[in-house]
Amino acid sequence: MSLLEPTALAWLGILPVLVLLWRTRLRRTPARVSAGFLWERACREARVDSFSKRLQANLLLFLQLLAALALGLALARPSLPVVSGSAAEMALLIDTSASMGARQDGSTRLEVARGQARRLIREAPSGAQILVASCDRSARVLLPFTRDRSAALRALEDLEVREVAADGQAGWALAASLLASRPEVEVFLMGDQPPQTPPPSRLTWIECGGTAANVGLVALRAARDHDGTFPLVVGVRNYGPRPEQRELELRRGGVLLAARRVGLPAGGRQTLRFRLPASGSDLVEARLLGSDALAVDDRAWTVLPRRATLRARVVGPGNLFAERALAAIPGLVLTRSEHPAGEGLAMWQGEVPWPLPPGVHILLHPPAAWRRGERLDQAFTLQPERAPLLNEVPLADLGVAGVTPLNLPPGSEILARAGPHPALALVRQGPATALVLAFDLYRSDLPLSPALPLLFANLVESELGGGRGPVDPESVPGQPLEIRTMEPVWVQGPDTSVRLASEAGRAILPDPDRTGVYQVRVGEKAWPVAMNMLDPRESDLATRRPAPRRARPGPAPTSSSQRSGVAEFWPWLAGAGLLALLAEWLVDQRRRRPERPQDRTP
Amino acid sequence: MGSLLEPEFLAWLERLRVLAGRTPTSSGPGENRSPARGRSAEFSEHRDYRPGDDFRHIDWRAWGRLDRLFLKVFVEERDRTLSILLDSSASMGAGGPGAPEEGAKFDQARRLAAALAWVGLGDLNRVGLGLVRDHLVQWHSPVRGRPHALELFRLLESARPEGRTDLTTAFRQYAARSKSPGRVVVISDFLQPGAGIEALRLLRYRGEELLVVQVLHPTELAPQAVGDLRLVDVETGSAREVTLDARLLEAYRKSLQNLCDELSAWCHTQRCSRILVRSDADLQPALLQLLRRGGLVR
């Protein structure tokens, strides 16, 4: 609520004057009576000392104050911003991100937004086309433009809060595209995170929910120490305007490990450190006890880092330098095998079966299908390209010889060149990925530098996840969950259980929208994935001011396109003031002219 | 005072025949019959002689015939005494809140007292007059005959309503001054806790025949004032701030009604007459009612 004429509040200064005048008026007229004891008795019987009697005695003052207050406030012209939908086309974009689940005054922000949307639908003119869309990390049209209001209301009922962080641009982009494609559309964006750029004239921002106190987890991280224990860090932040005290519980595999009381000043943050023993479950949960406006950030999970175990097979006669470089990778177990297929990494020395079997390969000799000629005896200096796989790999100025000219298939990534010829390349063909060394390793400087083990380590890290498993142990809701596997995958989440097929070596859970622990099962093995909502933008429930609307030059909007404004309710206040004055007059008259007692002679 | 008893009013009083009471008592002989036995010409009865009786009243003829001693008993004739006790405390000069004039109640009371005295004296009764507050302020011993009326009127004229009320003390002092019980007219507002019943009971125990006259101001019966007032008791000086509204007025009326009912009930049980007179009422009908209810007119 705002006041259009706040200076008029000065009229409220009449209130103390009224009280002063009333006190002056209460100098009572003395009256001599013959029987004071009878009046004492009557007062006791009528209970004139009771609160209600005193209230009645001051009823006139109360009514006068009420009238003055109402009229003073009416002069200040209080108003409330209102939005009304009267467009022929109306698009309702409703934020469904995690913060919309914040509960204030018994209802969530989404319920508030839903109520606003319902009102807009009810007030829309007959024949208006209505579109209902939700937006959080991405925008989704739930109901295309339709004249069916009941369908629009049903679409509203189907809206649910998704425990994902909002991407302000998602709803904004949908709104912009609607505004651009439909000149008559009016867009209403309902949420709790206003656009930071001034909205255009046909877009109306409706804020749902105000400032609310909230304490949330902001970090949960674990590492593995050299002695096998796990240092763990938990971050807690108070987003509210007042100091808060909360209990933090730490559980490992469901078993309570620690509980601490966390005192947080207003807006303050605290970091708590724990050290977990080596043995036990890999799954750790941090939980803030008690309740606040937003529950989704009161729990977080983490998966303790496992010791990496990765198998690498050497197929063929092998190469001493390459084997040494692979063996230097921590957790990697090198074996010899003649079997061309299998999980993990395969290093080929000699001829390679064609086409390549699925998996990750290191080809020390290029396949015949890619060769363009015989080996060259000429020596070259390696010229590395800018590629993620060459991160921290010192290839520059290294000399190589015995380069085989290659005709690489499309989509191949050349990592380094020897003169005009590709010397080092990453080739992806279907489910197979191959790092190709097109030179003779024995006739190069690579074994003399750390470049080779670093290159292999980068390959293992990027393509095999460093041996930690087919899936990253931590993710965030709303982000596709990618599982590196050739086999079908079962994913079981807090409220989902789905079987995913592998395609091109990857299975993807496209849109996980719940926090919690997801179990990814590949064959007989299972990997937990912690899905946490630790986003300060969602946890901070303070009201944010929208960017002011820019005044647009041009004609003023017509009444049919006037969607938003203010509702002044000074007439109601003025009416209430006049009613109070009328009541005061009636009460005064009634007191001046009491019922004439009948002449009853005792 | 002269203005209170106009010649027309006195002429009207002359037409009344006042009886001083059905069982008059007086310390001296008079012309009214008395239930007391004594010396007079009218024989009443015989009774057995008992040692100590006056030999002079022995019926010697009966002794001669019956050989027994009988005593002749005669009806004793005494004066009838009417005592008028007028409350002259401050409350008699006041009224309820908003009373337009002060003193109306006391004026009415002393007009009543004067009229009673005038009628009583005109019927050859002995009439005494006392002014009471918290004690017996003044007491004019009973006198007989119209010539004494002026003394009583002067006493009434000089009376002023002031001071506090204590009827019990005043009546006790009256009892000490009065020689024998007779008819007592008490004129007061009886606006005191207990309605003065304790004091009336004192007189009743003494054998007085009581006539209770309660004089009230119209503003006491139905207060007209409203709003915020500071009520000051004229006798005690205690003050109370009140807001007079319909509810409080109703409670007051109920309290007054209870007080009057209490007084009326006591009078009924004691077979006394009790009359309520408004201070603004016409005196002649009020006095006629008083005389009739009190059995003072034949």
Side-chain angles (χ1 to χ4, degrees):
Chain A
M1 190 179 73
S2 59
L3 300 173
L4 299 181
E5 296 286 347
T7 53
L9 286 179
W11 284 103
L12 295 182
I14 203 170
L15 296 179
V17 177
L18 265 179
V19 175
L20 198 64
L21 287 175
W22 185 263
R23 290 192 67 82
T24 309
R25 194 185 83 91
L26 277 185
R27 286 178 188 161
R28 297 165 184 257
T29 311
R32 287 155 54 85
V33 292
S34 55
F37 77 100
L38 272 185
W39 289 104
E40 283 289 339
R41 199 177 289 174
C43 287
R44 278 199 302 275
E45 190 171 328
R47 294 190 185 88
V48 293
D49 291 331
S50 65
F51 175 74
S52 60
K53 198 68 186 175
R54 285 204 301 272
L55 192 66
Q56 282 180 17
N58 293 324
L59 183 59
L60 286 178
L61 173 63
F62 172 73
L63 289 172
Q64 288 165 7
L65 290 176
L66 188 67
L69 183 67
L71 293 175
L73 287 177
L75 288 173
R77 295 177 62 196
S79 63
L80 279 175
V82 294
V83 180
S84 63
S86 57
E89 288 183 338
M90 190 165 64
L92 305 175
L93 272 62
I94 299 171
D95 186 0
T96 53
S97 63
S99 60
M100 292 297 282
R103 189 167 287 277
Q104 282 176 272
D105 302 328
S107 58
T108 63
R109 293 180 170 186
L110 180 64
E111 287 164 352
V112 174
R114 197 181 277 141
Q116 293 275 5
R118 274 197 216 102
R119 187 176 61 80
L120 288 170
I121 291 173
R122 279 197 301 272
E123 293 176 356
S126 61
Q129 296 205 69
I130 300 167
L131 174 142
V132 179
S134 69
C135 52
D136 39 66
R137 195 176 187 88
S138 60
R140 289 171 301 281
V141 175
L142 306 177
L143 181 74
F145 279 107
T146 179
R147 290 187 170 85
D148 187 351
R149 295 182 185 218
S150 57
L153 291 172
R154 282 197 302 276
L156 286 180
E157 296 306 316
D158 292 340
L159 283 173
E160 283 185 345
V161 174
R162 285 157 42 87
E163 294 175 350
V164 299
D167 180 358
Q169 295 304 314
W172 189 249
L174 177 59
S177 74
L178 285 169
L179 291 171
S181 60
R182 291 178 173 257
E184 290 298 317
V185 75
E186 179 77 6
V187 179
F188 294 94
L189 195 53
M190 284 159 266
D192 58 353
Q193 295 180 11
Q196 294 307 305
T197 55
S201 62
R202 284 186 291 132
L203 189 145
T204 303
W205 159 254
I206 301 175
E207 183 176 2
C208 304
T211 300
N214 183 42
V215 176
L217 295 166
V218 291
L220 180 62
R221 290 277 184 275
R224 187 185 188 93
D225 224 340
H226 60 90
D227 58 353
T229 58
F230 299 93
L232 184 132
V233 174
V234 183
V236 188
R237 184 172 168 187
N238 176 15
Y239 295 93
R242 288 186 298 275
E244 297 279 354
Q245 290 267 347
R246 296 290 289 270
E247 290 278 346
L248 175 77
E249 270 190 10
L250 201 65
R251 293 175 180 271
R252 185 176 184 183
V255 178
L256 184 65
L257 279 185
R260 285 191 196 172
R261 175 173 288 276
V262 186
L264 295 159
R269 174 182 173 144
Q270 190 169 342
T271 302
L272 297 97
R273 301 177 191 282
F274 301 87
R275 180 168 289 276
L276 310 186
S279 60
S281 169
D282 290 345
L283 195 61
V284 175
E285 178 191 357
R287 183 187 297 181
L288 283 173
L289 302 183
S291 62
D292 52 21
L294 190 64
V296 70
D297 58 0
D298 290 346
R299 295 177 75 182
W301 297 263
T302 189
V303 180
L304 299 179
R306 294 178 178 180
R307 187 184 296 279
T309 54
L310 180 67
R311 292 187 180 278
R313 291 171 290 114
V314 179
V315 186
N319 182 298
L320 178 63
F321 297 134
E323 289 176 23
R324 288 280 173 85
L326 276 177
I329 296 173
L332 188 138
V333 179
L334 201 60
T335 59
R336 289 191 171 278
S337 170
E338 296 303 322
H339 200 276
E343 68 174 44
L345 179 67
M347 186 170 71
W348 299 83
Q349 174 74 11
E351 288 303 319
V352 179
W354 193 255
L356 283 170
V360 181
H361 306 272
I362 298 173
L363 305 183
L364 299 179
H365 283 286
W370 299 344
R371 289 180 205 153
R372 202 155 49 87
E374 294 301 318
R375 280 189 170 178
L376 303 173
D377 287 337
Q378 188 182 352
F380 295 96
T381 301
L382 278 178
Q383 297 165 358
E385 301 288 335
R386 297 175 69 87
L389 204 62
L390 299 186
N391 188 28
E392 303 294 337
V393 178
L395 284 180
D397 299 332
L398 292 180
V400 294
V403 176
T404 304
L406 296 179
N407 190 11
L408 293 171
S412 302
E413 183 183 6
I414 297 173
L415 303 176
R417 295 177 186 275
H421 308 288
L424 203 58
L426 189 67
V427 180
R428 299 186 187 277
Q429 276 204 324
T433 302
L435 177 67
V436 183
L437 280 68
F439 54 89
D440 188 353
L441 200 57
Y442 287 117
R443 296 172 65 190
S444 73
D445 294 337
L446 255 69
L448 304 177
S449 82
L452 196 58
L454 288 175
L455 176 65
F456 288 167
N458 282 355
L459 179 70
V460 168
E461 182 68 30
S462 66
E463 300 298 321
L464 296 171
R468 290 187 298 272
V471 64
D472 290 336
E474 290 185 0
S475 184
V476 292
Q479 195 169 37
L481 184 64
E482 182 182 306
I483 303 136
R484 297 174 293 272
T485 179
M486 300 297 163
E487 302 174 41
V489 179
W490 276 101
V491 179
Q492 193 165 8
D495 60 354
T496 184
S497 181
V498 64
R499 181 179 186 274
L500 303 172
S502 173
E503 189 175 335
R506 286 169 170 79
I508 294 174
L509 181 65
D511 194 13
D513 62 353
R514 288 287 178 266
T515 57
V517 178
Y518 288 67
Q519 292 290 342
V520 176
R521 192 174 297 279
V522 181
E524 295 298 319
K525 292 187 176 178
W527 287 268
V529 178
M531 202 78 78
N532 293 322
M533 179 66 246
L534 304 177
D535 194 324
R537 289 174 304 168
E538 297 298 316
S539 297
D540 188 359
L541 301 178
T543 303
R544 279 155 276 192
R545 291 208 168 274
R549 188 193 293 272
R550 277 197 297 267
R552 268 197 340 166
T558 61
S559 60
S560 64
S561 62
Q562 184 68 46
R563 317 288 184 241
S564 59
V566 294
E568 292 190 48
F569 46 92
W570 66 265
W572 294 99
L573 281 172
L578 292 176
L579 277 178
L581 278 181
L582 180 64
E584 193 267 346
W585 183 82
L586 284 174
V587 171
D588 187 48
Q589 287 301 309
R590 189 180 173 83
R591 286 190 176 177
R592 285 175 192 274
R593 186 165 42 83
E595 60 171 309
R596 190 167 185 81
Q598 296 168 359
D599 199 2
R600 290 172 293 185
T601 303
Chain B
M1 179 58 68
S3 63
L4 296 177
L5 296 174
E6 298 88 354
E8 296 81 10
F9 182 69
L10 295 177
W12 178 78
L13 291 177
E14 281 297 326
R15 295 199 296 271
L16 302 176
R17 173 70 187 270
V18 177
L19 295 178
R22 279 164 299 200
T23 57
T25 57
S26 176
S27 54
E31 58 181 29
N32 295 307
R33 289 161 60 92
S34 164
R37 304 295 178 253
R39 292 165 296 179
S40 70
E42 188 175 350
F43 171 76
S44 173
E45 60 185 349
H46 282 100
R47 70 167 171 81
D48 288 339
Y49 169 79
R50 289 193 291 268
D53 284 342
D54 192 349
F55 290 163
R56 291 174 296 176
H57 293 160
I58 293 174
D59 189 347
W60 298 107
R61 290 182 182 178
W63 175 74
R65 287 197 303 271
L66 302 173
D67 198 21
R68 283 182 62 188
L69 287 176
F70 288 97
L71 206 68
K72 290 191 285 187
V73 179
F74 299 89
V75 175
E76 187 178 52
E77 292 181 347
R78 289 185 184 174
D79 276 349
R80 299 184 181 97
T81 302
L82 175 66
S83 297
I84 301 170
L85 298 177
L86 174 64
D87 181 1
S88 61
S89 65
S91 69
M92 290 295 286
E101 53 178 332
E102 293 202 344
K105 193 166 71 172
F106 188 68
D107 280 347
Q108 183 80 320
R110 62 184 174 184
R111 280 158 62 100
L112 276 171
L116 280 172
W118 179 261
V119 171
L121 289 173
D123 206 24
L124 299 179
N125 288 298
R126 291 161 58 83
V127 177
L129 176 64
L131 301 179
V132 296
R133 291 176 191 150
D134 54 352
H135 63 286
L136 183 63
V137 180
Q138 274 187 300
W139 171 245
H140 192 291
S141 300
V143 292
R144 185 182 358 213
R146 285 279 170 78
H148 293 286
L150 195 57
E151 301 168 21
L152 301 180
F153 288 178
R154 279 182 183 149
L155 176 59
L156 287 172
E157 205 171 22
S158 66
R160 292 287 178 272
E162 55 194 14
R164 304 180 69 157
T165 312
D166 184 358
L167 293 181
T168 307
T169 304
F171 289 177
R172 190 172 287 129
Q173 291 174 356
Y174 158 75
R177 302 278 292 272
S178 173
K179 292 180 179 173
S180 60
R183 172 164 299 225
V184 177
V185 179
V186 181
I187 304 174
S188 171
D189 54 9
F190 294 98
L191 293 181
Q192 55 184 296
I197 289 175
E198 283 302 314
L200 294 174
R201 187 174 284 135
L202 194 69
L203 296 178
R204 193 74 185 121
Y205 287 167
R206 191 166 175 269
E208 307 277 10
E209 187 174 353
L210 283 178
L211 178 59
V212 175
V213 181
Q214 188 175 15
V215 183
L216 290 177
H217 197 276
T219 55
E220 290 172 329
L221 294 165
Q224 296 299 303
V226 291
D228 303 314
L229 295 176
R230 187 165 179 269
L231 302 180
V232 182
D233 189 300
V234 292
E235 290 193 8
T236 63
S238 62
R240 182 180 182 89
E241 293 187 346
V242 297
T243 300
L244 286 192
D245 54 8
R247 189 175 171 191
L248 184 59
L249 290 176
E250 182 59 32
Y252 166 78
R253 280 193 287 270
K254 197 178 292 182
S255 298
L256 179 64
Q257 182 74 47
N258 291 339
L259 189 80
C260 293
D261 287 348
E262 193 179 355
L263 178 62
S264 184
W266 184 84
C267 289
H268 181 72
T269 57
Q270 298 296 319
R271 304 180 71 181
C272 303
S273 294
R274 175 248 176 191
I275 295 166
L276 175 68
V277 179
R278 289 169 60 109
S279 63
D280 61 343
D282 191 8
L283 189 59
Q284 291 190 17
L287 186 58
L288 189 60
Q289 183 195 15
L290 171 62
L291 296 176
R292 281 183 177 154
R293 292 276 302 274
L296 297 173
V297 65
R298 187 175 293 165

